[in-house]
Amino acid sequence: LGLTWDGSTLWNVDGYNDTLYSINRLSGAQVRALSSPLPETTGIAYDGQDLWLCSESMVDVYKINILNGDIQKRLNLQRGSFTAIAYGLSSLWIADSQLNKILRVDPETAEVISSFENPGIRVDGLAFDGSHFWVSDSSTLTIYQLNLEGQVLRTFLSPGQSPQGLAYDGHYLWNADGNRKIYQLRFQN
């Protein structure tokens, strides 16, 4: 499901057994694993120090220590069903499937600062590359590139049959697919 880049490895969420896997991006080998404190974890993000997790079945978002999995913070967002999460511009960006929106959330207070509409039917993956958002939608087999206001800049057909998590490593976009493969993608500017 969820995918993020921590500067050296990809982290992939296995929502069925609530395990977070650190994966070598070159070999695909597992580096290590952590247990998720959330049931049915769907999304994972890296904030430069720790991991953030969300779940479709919980209104809480957790920040955990990247080394040992200890809970650092719990944010209660009151309502929502969260399918994906990204970190950027000192904010959490959380996809809420109930509202079909992407929420900008203050990571200290849990206040929703702003939001924009999801361009598709469902957000399965969300990544921020420093200037754009990337959204995957398994319902339409599409990956969208959005500007900071949520306007669609470009759309791409997904390489797999069920695009899920997205991560950006500074050069490439990575896409975890429901077929248990992770694709490395490069887009021309």
Side-chain angles (χ1 to χ4, degrees):
L1 295 171
L3 195 66
T4 197
W5 170 251
D6 73 3
S8 60
T9 65
L10 290 165
W11 283 88
N12 187 222
V13 172
D14 184 335
Y16 298 109
N17 66 12
D18 296 314
T19 302
L20 315 171
Y21 294 101
S22 173
I23 301 168
N24 180 302
R25 72 175 169 172
L26 300 176
S27 68
Q30 178 182 322
V31 176
R32 60 196 178 96
L34 294 173
S35 292
S36 173
L38 280 172
E40 301 166 11
T41 307
T42 53
I44 186 169
Y46 178 66
D47 68 4
Q49 184 173 335
D50 295 301
L51 296 172
W52 289 88
L53 307 170
C54 67
S55 169
E56 248 185 305
S57 62
M58 300 280 290
V59 295
D60 295 325
V61 174
Y62 282 86
K63 176 180 173 179
I64 65 166
N65 182 292
I66 195 168
L67 299 176
N68 59 23
D70 288 350
I71 296 170
Q72 305 293 306
K73 180 175 271 198
R74 182 180 135 250
L75 296 180
N76 185 303
L77 299 181
Q78 306 298 318
R79 62 183 163 275
S81 183
F82 310 121
T83 57
I85 188 169
Y87 184 86
L89 305 173
S90 301
S91 297
L92 292 171
W93 300 83
I94 305 172
D96 183 349
S97 66
Q98 287 180 350
L99 298 174
N100 202 29
K101 290 186 176 189
I102 295 170
L103 312 175
R104 182 177 188 173
V105 176
D106 183 312
E108 295 302 317
T109 65
E111 174 190 357
V112 176
I113 301 165
S114 62
S115 67
F116 57 82
E117 296 290 328
N118 169 28
I121 296 169
R122 175 185 166 85
V123 176
D124 291 292
L126 178 62
F128 181 65
D129 68 11
S131 55
H132 302 101
F133 290 102
W134 295 87
V135 172
S136 63
D137 184 335
S138 63
S139 302
T140 61
L141 302 180
T142 303
I143 296 173
Y144 300 92
Q145 182 188 35
L146 312 175
N147 67 14
L148 296 179
E149 291 76 41
Q151 296 166 315
V152 176
L153 301 176
R154 300 187 289 176
T155 60
F156 303 92
L157 189 60
S158 125
Q161 294 301 308
S162 182
Q164 304 285 320
L166 294 173
Y168 181 72
D169 71 3
H171 300 286
Y172 299 101
L173 188 69
W174 295 83
N175 174 217
D177 194 85
N179 65 8
R180 300 180 54 90
K181 291 182 182 176
I182 297 177
Y183 296 95
Q184 180 185 26
L185 309 174
R186 181 175 56 218
F187 298 101
Q188 303 299 326
N189 290 332

